[in-house]
Amino acid sequence: MHSFTEENYLKAIYHLLVRRQSATTNDIAASLGTKAASVTDMLKKLSDKKLIHYARYQGVTLTTNGESIALGIVRKHRLWECFLVEKLNFKWDEVHDMAEELEHISSAKLIDRLDEFMGCPAYDPHGDPIPNNKGQIINQQLQPALQLSKHQSGIIAGVADHSPAFLQYLEKTQLIIGETITVTDLSDYDISVSLKTTNKEMNISREVAKNILIAI
């Protein structure tokens, strides 16, 4: 068994490693909202348990066992998000904190039953891939809407920003998972992107376009 704190560290390191080859102490501290000194102490403990490869000033990577535990936590988190949205009718901007608590339930049998009950979903409500019970994951090839050319179309399949404020903005503007968008114009003047969706046309900032992920 591992403590909630250890699981949170392994999950944070995993998320950082999805985007880069190694994670620094400062990266981890920023991700968890804690001090670098506290991170260093925990990294030593995780290294002693052979869950991470850690050497000062060289960054952190996960061992095979550490990655397996992290993927298990990610799997539980994303399955619970699916359940909360699809079965309990929570909105996609409401479920992260609840799933943060539920992800620490240790029963593998319960999580496998939950997975089966939900129809073994491949992606969570935010478009993030859900690992199966063997730790295998299906990654979509997505790109930011900002990289679309004029007149190019794609389907919204994920988000890079999971903050409630951003998700609420997307909900309000109906830029949600599964919506098809077409770029109609790119403005250098006000740094905006003009879009056409199924039902309307709109302008969004490039910051918003950068955080909407598109399947072509």
Side-chain angles (χ1 to χ4, degrees), residues 192-210:
S192 66
V193 179
S194 298
L195 299 177
K196 181 170 66 175
T197 69
T198 306
N199 299 313
K200 60 182 179 179
E201 296 184 8
M202 70 182 78
N203 291 331
I204 61 173
S205 71
R206 297 206 175 187
E207 184 65 22
V208 170
K210 182 178 74 174

Side-chain angles (χ1 to χ4, degrees), residues 9-32:
Y9 267 78
L10 292 172
K11 185 181 70 169
I13 294 166
Y14 170 79
H15 285 313
L16 289 166
L17 293 176
V18 167
R19 301 190 295 271
R20 61 196 79 176
Q21 290 186 328
S22 66
T24 68
T25 302
N26 288 335
D27 291 334
I28 299 165
S31 176
L32 293 170

Side-chain angles (χ1 to χ4, degrees), residues 78-96:
R78 293 176 179 174
L79 281 172
W80 282 120
E81 287 193 335
C82 286
F83 177 76
L84 292 166
V85 169
E86 295 180 25
K87 302 302 180 182
L88 299 187
N89 299 318
F90 284 99
K91 294 182 178 179
W92 67 338
D93 61 280
E94 298 177 312
V95 296
H96 177 76

Side-chain angles (χ1 to χ4, degrees), residues 10-11 14 50-52 62-71:
L10 292 172
K11 185 181 70 169
Y14 170 79
K50 301 193 180 336
L51 298 174
I52 62 169
L62 294 168
T63 64
T64 300
N65 192 25
E67 183 179 40
S68 177
I69 294 167
L71 283 166

Side-chain angles (χ1 to χ4, degrees), residues 92 126-128 156-162 166-167 170 177 211-213:
W92 67 338
H126 310 104
D128 295 316
I156 298 176
V159 291
D161 182 351
H162 289 71
F166 184 64
L167 297 177
L170 295 184
I177 302 292
N211 285 294
I212 295 174
L213 302 179

Side-chain angles (χ1 to χ4, degrees), residues 119-143:
C120 301
Y123 303 98
D124 75 6
H126 310 104
D128 295 316
I130 301 174
N132 65 19
N133 59 6
K134 295 181 176 62
Q136 298 165 329
I137 199 164
I138 302 171
N139 284 304
Q140 299 186 87
Q141 297 301 312
L142 305 180
Q143 66 182 71

Side-chain angles (χ1 to χ4, degrees), residues 15 38-39 131 146 163 168:
H15 285 313
S38 299
V39 172
L146 186 58
S163 68
Q168 289 164 12

